[in-house]
Protein backbone atom coordinates (compact mmCIF):
# COMPACT_ATOMS: atom_id res chain seq x y z
CA UNK A 1 0.00 0.00 0.00
CA UNK A 2 1.05 3.56 -0.64
CA UNK A 3 0.99 5.58 2.57
CA UNK A 4 0.96 9.00 0.92
CA UNK A 5 0.38 9.94 -2.69
CA UNK A 6 0.87 13.58 -3.62
CA UNK A 7 -0.20 14.38 -7.14
CA UNK A 8 0.64 17.61 -8.89
CA UNK A 9 0.17 19.84 -5.83
CA UNK A 10 0.01 23.56 -6.50
CA UNK A 11 -0.06 26.04 -3.66
CA UNK A 12 -0.26 29.81 -3.55
CA UNK A 13 -0.53 32.36 -0.82
CA UNK A 14 -2.06 35.39 -2.51
CA UNK A 15 -0.02 35.97 -5.64
CA UNK A 16 2.97 34.02 -4.30
CA UNK A 17 3.40 30.56 -5.80
CA UNK A 18 4.92 28.05 -3.35
CA UNK A 19 4.44 24.64 -5.03
CA UNK A 20 4.17 24.36 -8.81
CA UNK A 21 3.20 20.73 -9.37
CA UNK A 22 4.74 18.65 -6.59
CA UNK A 23 4.28 14.87 -6.86
CA UNK A 24 5.68 11.96 -4.81
CA UNK A 25 4.70 8.65 -3.23
CA UNK A 26 5.61 7.42 0.23
CA UNK A 27 5.69 3.65 0.63
CA UNK A 28 4.96 1.52 3.64
CA UNK A 29 7.50 1.30 6.44
CA UNK A 30 9.87 3.96 5.23
CA UNK A 31 11.35 7.01 6.83
CA UNK A 32 10.70 9.61 4.17
CA UNK A 33 12.39 13.01 4.17
CA UNK A 34 11.24 16.37 2.89
CA UNK A 35 14.30 18.50 2.16
CA UNK A 36 14.77 21.91 0.61
CA UNK A 37 16.07 25.38 1.34
CA UNK A 38 14.50 27.66 3.91
CA UNK A 39 11.12 28.86 2.66
CA UNK A 40 10.92 26.21 -0.08
CA UNK A 41 7.56 24.99 1.23
CA UNK A 42 8.52 21.95 3.32
CA UNK A 43 6.39 22.77 6.34
CA UNK A 44 3.48 23.81 4.15
CA UNK A 45 3.64 20.40 2.46
CA UNK A 46 3.55 18.68 5.84
CA UNK A 47 0.63 20.80 7.04
CA UNK A 48 -1.29 20.02 3.86
CA UNK A 49 -0.95 16.29 4.51
CA UNK A 50 -2.22 16.95 8.04
CA UNK A 51 -5.21 18.91 6.70
CA UNK A 52 -3.98 22.06 8.44
CA UNK A 53 -3.25 24.03 5.26
CA UNK A 54 -5.02 24.53 1.94
CA UNK A 55 -3.73 23.52 -1.50
CA UNK A 56 -4.98 25.06 -4.73
CA UNK A 57 -4.89 22.09 -7.08
CA UNK A 58 -3.75 18.50 -7.27
CA UNK A 59 -4.67 15.81 -4.76
CA UNK A 60 -3.30 14.04 -1.71
CA UNK A 61 -4.21 10.49 -0.84
CA UNK A 62 -3.24 9.45 2.70
CA UNK A 63 -3.77 5.87 3.90
CA UNK A 64 -6.39 5.48 1.19
CA UNK A 65 -8.29 8.70 1.92
CA UNK A 66 -8.39 11.50 -0.65
CA UNK A 67 -8.05 14.85 1.09
CA UNK A 68 -9.88 17.10 -1.34
CA UNK A 69 -13.54 17.08 -0.30
CA UNK A 70 -12.89 14.62 2.53
CA UNK A 71 -15.92 14.19 4.79
CA UNK A 72 -15.72 15.32 8.40
CA UNK A 73 -16.16 11.74 9.55
CA UNK A 74 -13.23 10.49 7.50
CA UNK A 75 -11.10 13.48 8.50
CA UNK A 76 -11.62 12.54 12.14
CA UNK A 77 -10.72 8.91 11.41
CA UNK A 78 -7.56 9.97 9.63
CA UNK A 79 -6.49 12.34 12.42
CA UNK A 80 -6.50 9.42 14.83
CA UNK A 81 -4.20 7.37 12.61
CA UNK A 82 -1.23 9.70 12.82
CA UNK A 83 0.89 11.57 15.31
CA UNK A 84 2.67 14.87 14.85
CA UNK A 85 5.66 16.57 16.43
CA UNK A 86 6.24 20.10 15.23
CA UNK A 87 9.47 22.04 15.32
CA UNK A 88 9.14 23.41 18.83
CA UNK A 89 7.89 20.30 20.66
CA UNK A 90 4.71 21.96 21.82
CA UNK A 91 4.08 20.32 25.16
CA UNK A 92 1.58 22.11 27.39
CA UNK A 93 3.77 23.73 30.02
CA UNK A 94 1.05 23.79 32.67
CA UNK A 95 0.42 20.03 32.29
CA UNK A 96 2.63 17.29 33.74
CA UNK A 97 4.28 14.75 31.46
CA UNK A 98 1.54 12.28 32.34
CA UNK A 99 -1.20 14.76 31.48
CA UNK A 100 0.50 15.71 28.20
CA UNK A 101 0.74 12.12 26.96
CA UNK A 102 -2.80 11.35 28.14
CA UNK A 103 -4.40 14.17 26.10
CA UNK A 104 -5.18 12.17 22.94
CA UNK A 105 -6.37 9.19 25.00
CA UNK A 106 -8.81 11.38 26.94
CA UNK A 107 -9.93 13.16 23.80
CA UNK A 108 -10.47 10.20 21.48
CA UNK A 109 -11.11 7.14 23.67
CA UNK A 110 -13.44 6.12 26.48
CA UNK A 111 -10.73 4.29 28.43
CA UNK A 112 -10.87 4.49 32.23
CA UNK A 113 -8.11 6.12 34.28
CA UNK A 114 -6.32 2.86 35.07
CA UNK A 115 -6.10 1.89 31.41
CA UNK A 116 -4.95 5.39 30.47
CA UNK A 117 -2.21 5.24 33.09
CA UNK A 118 -1.00 1.87 31.79
CA UNK A 119 -0.88 3.10 28.19
CA UNK A 120 0.84 6.37 29.11
CA UNK A 121 3.47 4.43 31.05
CA UNK A 122 3.99 2.03 28.14
CA UNK A 123 4.44 4.93 25.69
CA UNK A 124 6.84 6.63 28.06
CA UNK A 125 8.99 3.50 28.23
CA UNK A 126 8.80 3.14 24.47
CA UNK A 127 10.64 6.44 24.12
CA UNK A 128 13.22 5.46 26.72
CA UNK A 129 12.00 7.37 29.78
CA UNK A 130 11.36 6.12 33.34
CA UNK A 131 8.13 6.21 35.34
CA UNK A 132 9.18 9.01 37.71
CA UNK A 133 9.27 11.40 34.73
CA UNK A 134 5.45 11.27 34.58
CA UNK A 135 5.11 13.73 37.46
CA UNK A 136 7.54 16.28 36.07
CA UNK A 137 6.58 19.39 34.11
CA UNK A 138 8.06 20.23 30.69
CA UNK A 139 10.24 23.01 32.12
CA UNK A 140 11.95 20.40 34.32
CA UNK A 141 13.02 18.32 31.28
CA UNK A 142 15.98 18.67 28.95
CA UNK A 143 15.25 19.49 25.30
CA UNK A 144 15.89 15.89 24.31
CA UNK A 145 13.48 14.58 26.95
CA UNK A 146 10.81 17.05 25.84
CA UNK A 147 11.06 15.70 22.29
CA UNK A 148 10.73 12.15 23.62
CA UNK A 149 7.59 13.08 25.52
CA UNK A 150 6.22 14.77 22.40
CA UNK A 151 6.80 11.51 20.48
CA UNK A 152 5.14 9.47 23.23
CA UNK A 153 2.11 11.75 22.99
CA UNK A 154 2.11 11.54 19.19
CA UNK A 155 2.08 7.74 19.39
CA UNK A 156 -0.43 7.48 22.24
CA UNK A 157 -3.20 6.25 19.93
CA UNK A 158 -1.03 3.54 18.35
CA UNK A 159 -0.47 5.65 15.26
CA UNK A 160 1.39 3.96 12.45
CA UNK A 161 2.24 7.28 10.83
CA UNK A 162 4.41 9.88 12.47
CA UNK A 163 5.00 13.39 11.08
CA UNK A 164 8.04 15.29 12.33
CA UNK A 165 8.97 18.88 11.41
CA UNK A 166 12.62 19.69 12.14
CA UNK A 167 12.60 17.50 15.28
CA UNK A 168 16.27 18.00 16.14
CA UNK A 169 16.29 21.78 15.78
CA UNK A 170 17.20 23.34 19.11
CA UNK A 171 18.85 20.14 20.36
CA UNK A 172 22.58 19.82 21.00
CA UNK A 173 24.45 17.40 18.70
CA UNK A 174 24.49 14.60 21.29
CA UNK A 175 20.73 14.78 21.94
CA UNK A 176 20.12 15.03 18.19
CA UNK A 177 21.92 11.73 17.54
CA UNK A 178 20.04 10.14 20.43
CA UNK A 179 16.84 11.34 18.88
CA UNK A 180 17.77 9.85 15.48
CA UNK A 181 18.45 6.54 17.20
CA UNK A 182 15.07 6.64 18.90
CA UNK A 183 13.25 7.22 15.60
CA UNK A 184 15.14 4.32 13.97
CA UNK A 185 14.30 2.03 16.89
CA UNK A 186 10.64 2.98 16.79
CA UNK A 187 10.50 2.32 13.08
CA UNK A 188 12.01 -1.12 13.44
CA UNK A 189 10.09 -2.12 16.58
CA UNK A 190 6.65 -0.84 15.63
CA UNK A 191 6.50 -0.77 11.81
CA UNK A 192 6.18 2.96 11.94
CA UNK A 193 6.04 5.17 8.86
CA UNK A 194 7.84 8.42 9.46
CA UNK A 195 7.58 11.59 7.37
CA UNK A 196 10.27 14.00 8.37
CA UNK A 197 11.11 17.58 7.43
CA UNK A 198 14.74 18.17 8.26
CA UNK A 199 17.85 20.14 7.41
CA UNK A 200 20.01 18.17 9.84
CA UNK A 201 22.61 16.45 7.66
CA UNK A 202 23.33 13.72 10.20
CA UNK A 203 19.64 12.87 10.44
CA UNK A 204 19.41 12.74 6.66
CA UNK A 205 22.23 10.26 6.37
CA UNK A 206 21.30 7.98 9.25
CA UNK A 207 17.52 8.08 9.08
CA UNK A 208 16.11 8.58 5.64
CA UNK A 209 15.19 5.67 3.39
CA UNK A 210 14.13 8.04 0.61
CA UNK A 211 13.48 11.75 0.33
CA UNK A 212 12.46 14.59 -1.93
CA UNK A 213 14.31 17.85 -2.37
CA UNK A 214 12.09 20.83 -3.09
CA UNK A 215 13.73 23.23 -5.50
CA UNK A 216 12.26 25.96 -7.69
CA UNK A 217 8.78 25.08 -6.38
CA UNK A 218 9.05 21.52 -7.75
CA UNK A 219 10.54 18.17 -6.77
CA UNK A 220 14.19 18.63 -7.77
CA UNK A 221 15.03 15.08 -6.73
CA UNK A 222 13.38 11.98 -5.32
CA UNK A 223 15.21 8.86 -4.23
CA UNK A 224 17.88 7.60 -1.84
CA UNK A 225 21.07 9.22 -0.64
CA UNK A 226 23.16 6.92 -2.88
CA UNK A 227 21.03 7.77 -5.90
CA UNK A 228 21.47 11.48 -5.22
CA UNK A 229 25.24 11.05 -5.07
CA UNK A 230 25.21 9.23 -8.41
CA UNK A 231 22.70 11.41 -10.19
CA UNK A 232 23.13 14.96 -8.99
CA UNK A 233 26.46 16.14 -7.69
CA UNK A 234 25.23 19.70 -7.17
CA UNK A 235 22.30 18.78 -4.94
CA UNK A 236 24.35 16.13 -3.13
CA UNK A 237 26.98 18.74 -2.24
CA UNK A 238 24.34 21.23 -1.19
CA UNK A 239 22.32 18.93 1.06
CA UNK A 240 24.48 16.02 2.13
CA UNK A 241 28.02 17.31 2.60
N1 LIG B 1 -0.18 30.74 6.11
C1 LIG B 1 0.67 31.34 5.25
N2 LIG B 1 0.34 32.51 4.65
C2 LIG B 1 1.17 33.10 3.78
N3 LIG B 1 2.37 32.63 3.44
C3 LIG B 1 2.77 31.49 4.00
C4 LIG B 1 1.95 30.77 4.94
N4 LIG B 1 2.60 29.65 5.33
C5 LIG B 1 3.77 29.66 4.67
N5 LIG B 1 3.88 30.75 3.88
C6 LIG B 1 5.02 31.04 2.99
O1 LIG B 1 5.26 29.90 2.20
C7 LIG B 1 6.65 29.71 2.01
C8 LIG B 1 7.04 28.32 2.44
O2 LIG B 1 6.89 28.21 3.86
P1 LIG B 1 7.35 26.94 4.66
O3 LIG B 1 6.72 25.74 4.11
O4 LIG B 1 7.08 27.25 6.09
O5 LIG B 1 8.92 26.90 4.39
P2 LIG B 1 10.00 25.84 4.88
O6 LIG B 1 10.45 25.08 3.67
O7 LIG B 1 11.14 26.65 5.42
O8 LIG B 1 9.36 24.97 5.91
C9 LIG B 1 7.34 30.82 2.78
O9 LIG B 1 7.66 31.83 1.87
C10 LIG B 1 6.30 31.27 3.76
O10 LIG B 1 6.48 32.63 4.06
MG1 LIG C 1 9.61 24.73 7.99
Amino acid sequence: MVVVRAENIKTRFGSKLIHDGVSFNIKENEIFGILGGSGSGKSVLLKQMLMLEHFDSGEYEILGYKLKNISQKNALKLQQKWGVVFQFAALFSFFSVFENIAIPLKEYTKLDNMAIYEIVLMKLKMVGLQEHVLNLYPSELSGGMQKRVAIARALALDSKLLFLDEPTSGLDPYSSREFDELVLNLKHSFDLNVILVTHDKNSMKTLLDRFIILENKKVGFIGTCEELEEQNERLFKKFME
Side-chain angles (χ1 to χ4, degrees):
M1 197 183 63
V2 176
V3 175
V4 173
R5 193 192 309 281
E7 236 177 73
N8 204 20
I9 300 298
K10 295 190 181 167
T11 311
R12 337 175 153 266
F13 290 108
S15 60
K16 195 168 161 198
L17 184 63
I18 307 292
H19 304 126
D20 187 14
V22 168
S23 302
F24 57 90
N25 286 342
I26 303 178
K27 298 177 222 160
E28 238 172 326
N29 204 225
E30 60 179 5
I31 300 185
F32 190 88
I34 298 172
L35 279 49
S38 171
S40 60
K42 305 181 295 295
S43 294
V44 168
L45 214 59
L46 205 71
K47 287 181 194 151
Q48 289 171 335
M49 293 186 245
L50 293 164
M51 302 184 290
L52 298 172
E53 186 57 83
H54 82 288
F55 49 98
D56 294 284
S57 67
E59 178 63 296
Y60 284 103
E61 191 179 322
I62 316 241
L63 301 170
Y65 294 91
K66 294 204 164 81
L67 294 196
K68 206 165 38 190
N69 306 320
I70 190 169
S71 69
Q72 222 166 357
K73 190 170 139 242
N74 283 342
L76 195 67
K77 268 194 210 161
L78 204 45
Q79 279 160 354
Q80 294 176 50
K81 288 180 195 285
W82 64 48
V84 189
V85 178
F86 285 118
Q87 190 161 358
F88 302 104
L91 298 175
F92 293 107
S93 56
F94 44 89
F95 280 174
S96 69
V97 167
F98 171 80
E99 289 163 335
N100 266 284
I101 301 174
I103 290 168
L105 296 163
K106 290 187 173 161
E107 193 170 329
Y108 291 115
T109 74
K110 295 192 169 68
L111 295 167
D112 63 32
N113 287 342
M114 272 295 276
I116 287 181
Y117 187 85
E118 288 304 317
I119 295 175
V120 168
L121 183 59
M122 184 179 81
K123 301 295 167 177
L124 190 79
K125 289 186 172 162
M126 228 168 95
V127 297
L129 297 174
Q130 304 288 329
E131 189 167 5
H132 70 87
V133 173
L134 286 179
N135 296 319
L136 300 178
Y137 283 79
S139 62
E140 300 175 278
L141 307 177
S142 69
M145 285 165 86
Q146 288 182 19
K147 301 273 174 167
R148 283 171 192 268
V149 172
I151 295 241
R153 184 176 65 187
L155 298 178
L157 294 171
D158 290 328
S159 324
K160 286 288 174 216
L161 184 52
L162 180 63
F163 290 92
L164 304 171
D165 194 347
E166 310 264 12
T168 59
S169 74
L171 294 185
D172 61 73
Y174 179 78
S175 308
S176 298
R177 301 296 69 80
E178 274 196 339
F179 187 88
D180 288 345
E181 224 168 274
L182 171 68
V183 173
L184 267 184
N185 281 338
L186 290 172
K187 179 203 161 182
H188 290 126
S189 312
F190 303 99
D191 293 332
L192 207 58
N193 296 287
V194 184
I195 301 174
L196 170 73
V197 173
T198 184
H199 64 241
D200 182 323
K201 291 183 179 175
N202 284 299
S203 300
M204 291 174 197
K205 284 182 198 151
T206 46
L207 282 183
L208 302 182
D209 294 309
R210 290 193 313 133
F211 53 88
I212 55 172
I213 298 177
L214 292 178
E215 198 180 42
N216 301 326
K217 307 175 175 55
K218 293 174 189 288
V219 175
F221 171 82
I222 181 164
T224 66
C225 196
E226 294 73 36
E227 286 165 351
L228 182 63
E229 189 167 14
E230 281 167 21
Q231 293 167 21
N232 195 324
E233 200 186 326
R234 179 183 59 84
L235 283 178
F236 183 79
K237 282 213 166 105
K238 188 165 167 191
F239 285 97
M240 296 287 161
E241 281 183 353

